[in-house]
Amino acid sequence: MGMVLKEKIQGPSAWKGSELSKDDSWIYYLSEKTIASLENALEKVQGKGLKSPDFTKEDFPIEDLSDEIAYFAEELEDGRGFLLLRGLPIDRYTDEEASIIYYGLGLHMGIPVTQNAKGDLLGHVKNVGALDTKKVRVYQTNSHLPYHSDLSDVVGLLSLRKAKSGGLSSLASTATLYNELLEKHPEYIGLLYRPFYFDHLGVEKSQGLSPLFSYYDGKLSCRYMRKYIESGQEKQGFPLSKVELEAFDLIDSILHDENIRMDMMLEPGDIQFANNNIVLHSRTLFEDYEEPERRRHLLRLWLTMPNSRELAPDFSTRSGIVKSEAAAVK
């Protein structure tokens, strides 16, 4: 176990939704020049007869966007920890063309990693069935998705189509969560630095040990997936104690506080990136269209980032939850 951070976190990562919702400084509007560069690279990929995700960074040349991409990476690691890129004219593209642009941008930001046992590098987030079947995970339904983090440095979502109603994307700052706990309930802090068993859906008998909070090399990281912690602990024969459940209930109540969380509708063409170490994400229940081709559909990327923080050896992906076999924990 590393050090326990005993002071509040200052800086841009400790944001509150109620403050950010007053302006749109967190939205990055893509310029015509940027869009033209992305479309030019799309034509290069198509000219070679390639499809996503079966092409390389070199196949999608956007060297002129290197300053913007450096800004995105910086904002994700040392800024607020999330970005919303707006302005991609999605109506101009087929789903395949949109996915080439999105995946191509991802290749220049970091290295895509697999999201499930099948090895998918581009995940499809859409409503395909009820949650009562073993093979359907929460992100494949229209159910509410509790706050969690994914098993990669950064998660990206491109909205192809939004739902008939609902389906808001919600983000929360783990720095703000920590500050709230430190100020109002410091008695739970020590507990959350202890390792918990995380169940890992899709991988047989895999419960990785990781603390929720890890303070290492001057940065606080968080890994929270309540459902999979409860399941992992039970499978090991150590169900969560009354005090641990109280701590998790408290975390959930802070994350759902409308002053803390940030709700946004991902409009078609919007791209959201979030740093899994410092931002938790969620989604509200939604009602979809009857016709399959009109239903809510997002494309998901998991990226390993070149400027990502060094993680403690006992934290998350380094402790039995392996990136390469990462069955999407949703």
Side-chain angles (χ1 to χ4, degrees), residues 200-257:
H200 200 210
L201 287 195
V203 180
E204 288 299 308
K205 297 178 182 167
S206 172
Q207 288 96 40
L209 266 174
S210 176
L212 261 71
F213 288 116
S214 173
Y215 184 61
Y216 190 74
D217 205 18
K219 290 185 175 182
L220 183 82
S221 299
C222 176
R223 182 70 71 234
Y224 184 60
M225 309 159 183
R226 177 168 181 163
K227 182 179 170 187
Y228 299 101
I229 297 170
E230 289 178 346
S231 169
Q233 289 284 140
E234 278 177 22
K235 284 186 182 176
Q236 289 290 337
F238 303 114
L240 292 174
S241 68
K242 186 166 173 282
V243 175
E244 288 166 337
L245 288 168
E246 281 171 9
F248 286 13
D249 286 346
L250 180 62
I251 287 172
D252 290 344
S253 69
I254 293 169
L255 295 173
H256 285 97
D257 184 325

